[in-house]
Amino acid sequence: MKKITNICCIGAGYVGGPTMAVIAQKCPEITVNVVDINEQRIRDWNDSDLDKLPIYEPGLKEVVLEARGRNLFFSTNVEKSIDEAEIVFISVNTPTKTYGKGKGMAADLKFVELCARQIAKVSKNDKIVVEKSTLPVRTAEAVRSILDNTGNGVKFQILSNPEFLAEGTAVDDLHNADRVLIGGEQSTEEGQEAMDALTDIYAHWLPKERILQTNVWSSELSKLTANAFLAQRISSINSLSALCEETEANIEEVARAIGSDTRIGAKFLKTSVGFGGSCFQKDILNLVYICRSMGLQEVADYWEQVILMNDYQKRRFADNIIKTLYNTVSDKKITFLGWAFKKDTNDTRETAAMYVADHLMNDLARIEVYDPKVSSKQMFADMNYLNSRSETENEKQLKAHSDPYEACKNAHAIAVLTEWDEFIDYDWQKIYDNMMKPAFVFDGRNILDRERLEKIGFKYYGIGINS
Ligand code: NAD
Ligand code: UGA
């Protein structure tokens, strides 16, 4: 079997960066070049101050420190790196289309296509091309068509190797992956060889039985559906949180009770203000679009409901704040603890916080935010991206703080949007003393100690636990 010595990864984002850093760490004999057209991002990956890495992930600094400059390199030299590589990973973004056919639903594959064209143009010898990005089922067909029509006689093997890491636990997920999925052309010798070459890389640190080989289409589809299943569990538990609030059942107890059934399992049953992140919504919309395009209306409607339920949960949380604050939040200060879409990441893509803020700002609330890892620049970028009001109005209604106690001072209410551990141990007495009364807390993650807060005097509202 061919031993791989040089890899290129196009896209130095949340997936490309950590994934390649771990491959480089675990395979010191392989040169790993991570390339991107975003010069600032590459500069940040190369910064000698590891606190400036473009992505915050626990444990990532250590991995980068070990491999960078040894066999891990970040650069903007895309063509040279493609040319030198035996394997080229495509790890670029595949956002929801914002224009034309499939707008708001389908995945925008223009970045992937650009990569395929660039690989086709630059390659002088045979290569394995790996789809690392999450892609609609049968994308490999389009990639193959582009690569096979270059006319320069180079042979390509196309593999699908979707990534299952979650942000905030990326390094651990990569080190201890439940499974790695490699889809390829099992029916040809060259196809099988390519799959084995990639398997061999992961086998440097993962047991062989966790590396699954399938056909390309199963691999592409499994990635979309894995995310759909995970998101479905969250929407299911969130839908029941609403019922709990009406019936005095407690969603945390219900989740524990159903999750103890080993057939159901305990993970991904944590009720919340709604799931965020760059992928769940985009991948489900994509799945829905594919089903509709194939005339599978009922299947499409089934999965779309997961998204609709998530929108409902975010809206419900905001509406509950308005209702509780005597039906008006106009000019009231509401402090958000947390803006990231989950703890231990600085990523805010599709974060529930921005939708809840938007809803409250429509009712003229003043939102003041503290998040341990998200910059104020990012918060404003998120609000401006929603395009609900002018940038000037966003600047008037939204304020970011670098100190949580300052953020909470004189607030009418505090809303917990992200489950950062540090929020639990704040000096809640001090926060209470400096707030408007009655002092309301809306815990969108059910992380705070309700009893302690109520003893201090807070009016506490969790999700699905208000009995
Ligand atoms: P990202 O936006 O963080 O990174 C993508 C990078 O690709 C950007 O830095 C961009 O500049 C670069 N890029 C785009 N076109 C390029 C080109 N032609 N040449 C060079 N660089 C180019 O995206 P991400 O979060 O890393 O996601 C990448 C893919 O992985 C998506 O398909 C996503 O669905 C999937 N995925 C993401 C996660 C996650 O946790 N974020 C997990 C699993 C899978
Ligand atoms: C998710 C998947 O977990 C990864 O396997 C996948 O690779 C990735 O999407 C992707 O394709 O991008 P990620 O979005 O990074 O990972 O993070 P999750 O831990 O899945 O959380 C997603 C959202 O769901 C967060 O807002 C989180 O707070 C919320 N969530 C999660 C809940 O509300 N309840 C839960 O029980 C779990």
Side-chain angles (χ1 to χ4, degrees), residues 6-10 20 31 33-35 78 81-82 85 87-89:
N6 193 302
I7 287 176
C8 164
C9 174
I10 310 178
M20 291 303 130
T31 299
N33 287 304
V34 190
V35 293
V78 181
S81 301
I82 294 174
I87 299 188
V88 181
F89 286 85

Side-chain angles (χ1 to χ4, degrees), residues 128-177:
I128 299 170
V129 175
V130 182
E131 298 175 346
K132 186 50 122 177
S133 298
T134 302
L135 297 168
V137 56
R138 296 209 75 90
T139 304
E141 214 167 28
V143 173
R144 161 151 316 284
S145 166
I146 292 166
L147 291 175
D148 282 353
N149 283 291
T150 57
N152 55 6
V154 173
K155 286 209 181 67
F156 295 99
Q157 281 302 319
I158 296 149
L159 302 179
S160 159
N161 172 222
E163 185 48 60
F164 294 101
L165 66 79
E167 289 177 30
T169 52
V171 173
D172 199 40
D173 291 343
L174 288 162
H175 281 159
N176 304 299

